[in-house]
Structures are given as C-alpha cells and as structure tokens.
C-alpha cells in the first residue's frame, strides 16, 4: 500500500509540473577533503529530477555553462585556441549519479581519458538501503522533516526527510525514504548535505554545452564495468591520467607551438597533467570508505 501511495504521489507531483522538464534541487555539501584534518570545504551540488530518472552532480561547471559557451563560440569564430581553464572554477567532484525510476537502479559514472578522447565509465548498483525511521521530527529550513538512520559505505548516516515533497530520492546515492531527503550527514561529519532550494528547469538538457562540444559528443556513452573493474580503472587513471595518451605523443607534436598561447603543446599537456593529479590528491577522504579499511 505504501508503494502504491508513493507512486500516486510521485505521479501527481509531476502532473502539477508537467509543463517543466525537470526540477532542480540545490544541496550545499560540506565535507572534509582530508580524513586526518579538521579543515572543511563546501560546494553546491544539484539533484535534477525528471519523470524517469534523477541526476546528482557537482553544480560548479553546470553553473558556468552559459559563460563557457560564449568563450568557446568566440574561439570557434576567431579560429584561435585559448586556454579557458584559467577563467574556470573547477569542480570538487567529477562523478554523476543516476537513479532510474521507478526501480531506483543506481548508476555511478565518472570521466577518464582514453588517448585524447574523454570517455565515461560507470557501474550499476542495485542499492537497497536499510533505513530505520525514527519518530523524531524537526524543522530543516522551511521543511517539516523526520529522522531516519542507515549504514552505507562504511559510515553511519543520519537523514532528515520531508513528506511535503513526495520523492523517494536525495543527494548522492541516498534514496528510499517516504519523502525527499533534505539533510543527511555521517556520524563523523565527514560529509553533510542540506537542501538549500529548488527551481524548475525549462527545456532541461542533462548534457552541458561543454560536454556536448568535447570529443565523443553529447556527453558520450557510458562504458559499463563491474564495480571492481571500475574502481581499478579509475584508480589507475588517478595515478597516471596521461598513461594512454603518452604513447601517442611524438616529439614533433610536443614541440608544436600552441596557437593563442605562450608555449608548446608539451608545455600545455604538462600543465594539464599536473592540474589533474593535484585535483585527485586534494581529496583522500571518499564518501564511501574502501572496503579493506572497513573490515574489523
């Protein structure tokens, strides 16, 4: 009966918003990038909800999409390459997490490079969280919320959900409560999300402009791997992000002057490699703790 009610409520929610393609929920994520440090960082994340799925991701690049579009189109018009990475605010997280309705199948996707071509790799997870719903209620922002707890990824989580928004969804992979999760944090406050607002997105397109103009187009198809293979592939990429590109680079290519820039292609690639490695090293405190570290 509860599932039938949830389905009816979910359908009604989108019937009211039928003229819109998506509903975007903004979550402020507060997290500790380093597990042995008290320093915290913040980033805005979004959960875009459509009729058949939701997409969770870092909002940083999405927020800059229109600005980047202007810059790329200016380069295309002039025929002159320009390194726009200096004008971009880089995201804290690169993954996207899809939840496909109504089964709530989870797909975790990240992007690596295969030679010169970016590619999406991902794994599927049939995730059933064991929630324990508490009678405790609290006001979270403007929402009437109720407490629930669960364990996942080697951490204990406390969530607050609101039945005012009849979506059994939430940030990251979290879902399965009788209402949208408006706040969730782990026991050690390594990661904490809190809903800060929402708006309707007309003419919604999950693929950003930058993704659409990159090699592979339209964000690229997802190469589905087992979780074990995904974890190893991503770990190898983080250690040496240019490993598959390096054999393709000839001395002549590396010595080529980059149009619109001071320096050669070799200089540019060295800078990009350094930036990528530093990006991954900046966070050694993942949301899901490695399995071997959770064993007692």
């Amino acid at each position: 009966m509860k599932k039938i009610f949830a389905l009816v409520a979910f359908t009604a929610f989108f019937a009211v918003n039928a003229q819109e393609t998506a509903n975007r929920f903004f979550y402020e994520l507060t997290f500790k990038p380093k597990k042995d440090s008290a320093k915290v960082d913040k980033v805005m994340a979004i959960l875009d909800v459509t009729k058949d799925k939701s997409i969770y991701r870092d909002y940083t690049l999405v927020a800059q999409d229109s600005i980047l579009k202007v810059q790329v189109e200016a380069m295309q018009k002039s025929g002159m390459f320009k390194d726009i990475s200096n004008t971009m605010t880089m995201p804290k997280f690169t993954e996207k997490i899809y939840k496909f309705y109504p089964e709530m199948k989870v797909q975790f996707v990240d992007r690596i490079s295969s030679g010169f071509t970016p590619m999406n790799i991902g794994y599927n997870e049939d995730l059933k969280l064991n929630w324990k719903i508490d009678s405790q209620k609290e006001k979270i922002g403007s929402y009437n919320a109720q407490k629930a707890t669960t364990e996942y990824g080697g951490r204990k989580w406390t969530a607050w959900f609101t039945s005012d928004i009849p979506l059994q969804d939430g940030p990251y992979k979290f879902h399965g409560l009788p209402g949208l999760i408006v706040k969730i944090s782990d026991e050690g406050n390594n990661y904490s999300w809190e809903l800060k607002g929402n708006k309707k997105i007309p003419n919604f397109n999950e693929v950003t402009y930058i993704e659409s103009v990159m090699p592979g187009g339209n964000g690229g198809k997802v190469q589905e791997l087992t979780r074990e293979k995904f974890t190893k592939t991503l770990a190898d990429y983080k250690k040496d992000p240019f490993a598959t590109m390096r054999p393709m680079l000839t001395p002549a290519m590396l010595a080529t002057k980059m149009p619109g820039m001071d320096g050669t292609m070799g200089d540019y690639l060295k800078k990009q490699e350094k930036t990528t490695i530093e990006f991954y090293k900046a966070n050694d405190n993942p949301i899901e703790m490695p399995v071997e570290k959770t064993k007692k």
Side-chain angles (χ1 to χ4, degrees), residues 18-285:
Q19 73 277 15
E20 305 295 343
T21 308
N23 285 272
R24 175 167 290 169
F25 296 90
F26 294 87
Y27 287 90
E28 183 179 70
L29 168 58
T30 303
F31 66 101
K32 295 179 182 178
K34 297 291 183 180
K35 54 179 173 287
D36 56 354
S37 172
K39 181 183 176 182
V40 297
D41 204 346
K42 290 186 178 183
V43 69
M44 189 63 71
I46 53 174
L47 181 73
D48 289 329
V49 178
T50 69
K51 288 188 291 185
D52 58 355
K53 65 177 178 288
S54 68
I55 309 154
Y56 167 85
R57 53 188 158 170
D58 188 317
Y59 183 53
T60 308
L61 283 183
V62 179
Q64 301 172 83
D65 206 43
S66 59
I67 298 173
L68 297 176
K69 182 175 186 290
V70 171
Q71 293 179 324
V72 171
E73 289 179 343
M75 280 193 286
Q76 293 173 333
K77 186 176 180 180
S78 67
M80 185 69 71
F81 175 80
K82 180 181 177 182
D83 182 8
I84 62 175
S85 63
N86 295 324
T87 65
M88 294 168 56
T89 301
M90 299 307 293
K92 303 291 184 182
F93 301 92
T94 55
E95 70 267 16
K96 291 182 183 179
I97 295 161
Y98 296 83
K99 302 189 199 84
F100 296 96
Y101 304 151
E103 295 87 358
M104 299 304 283
K105 298 289 185 180
V106 174
Q107 185 179 65
F108 187 103
V109 177
D110 214 327
R111 178 164 278 206
I112 63 171
S113 293
S114 177
F116 292 102
T117 306
M119 65 180 293
N120 294 319
I121 59 171
Y123 66 85
N124 298 319
E125 185 174 6
D126 188 11
L127 178 60
K128 305 297 183 187
L129 294 166
N130 182 25
W131 291 104
K132 294 179 180 178
I133 297 178
D134 195 285
S135 60
Q136 185 177 345
K137 296 182 179 180
E138 194 171 299
K139 195 86 167 180
I140 305 293
S142 60
Y143 301 99
N144 296 310
Q146 187 169 348
K147 184 180 177 181
T149 57
T150 193
E151 293 187 26
Y152 179 71
R155 301 185 190 275
K156 296 179 180 180
W157 300 90
T158 297
W160 296 87
F161 67 95
T162 179
S163 55
D164 296 342
I165 303 178
L167 296 172
Q168 296 186 20
D169 213 331
Y172 193 62
K173 296 179 181 178
F174 300 108
H175 68 280
L177 286 166
L180 184 71
I181 296 171
V182 294
K183 185 176 182 179
I184 183 167
S185 59
D186 73 289
E187 190 175 46
N189 283 319
N190 291 277
Y191 285 86
S192 177
W193 290 264
E194 185 169 347
L195 183 65
K196 293 298 183 180
N198 67 85
K199 70 175 183 179
K200 299 172 184 177
I201 306 296
N203 305 313
F204 172 72
N205 188 344
E206 67 181 74
V207 179
T208 63
Y209 173 79
I210 287 298
E211 288 174 318
S212 70
V213 298
M214 289 177 72
N218 296 322
K221 292 183 178 180
V222 177
Q223 181 181 341
E224 295 183 3
L225 307 173
T226 64
R227 183 160 186 176
E228 292 73 21
K229 179 66 175 177
F230 172 92
T231 301
K232 183 181 185 308
T233 301
L234 187 59
D236 290 344
Y237 176 72
K238 289 179 178 180
K239 289 178 184 176
D240 189 359
F242 283 13
T244 59
M245 183 190 301
R246 201 170 289 112
M248 304 167 66
L249 298 169
T250 65
M253 291 172 64
L254 293 172
T256 301
K257 180 76 169 59
M258 290 290 285
M261 291 179 58
D262 293 328
T264 64
M265 179 181 285
D267 296 328
Y268 175 74
L269 291 176
K270 188 177 294 184
K271 174 189 172 185
Q272 294 303 312
E273 182 176 31
K274 181 174 181 290
T275 299
T276 304
I277 291 174
E278 288 177 348
F279 169 80
Y280 287 117
K281 284 185 175 180
N283 190 332
D284 67 356
N285 186 26

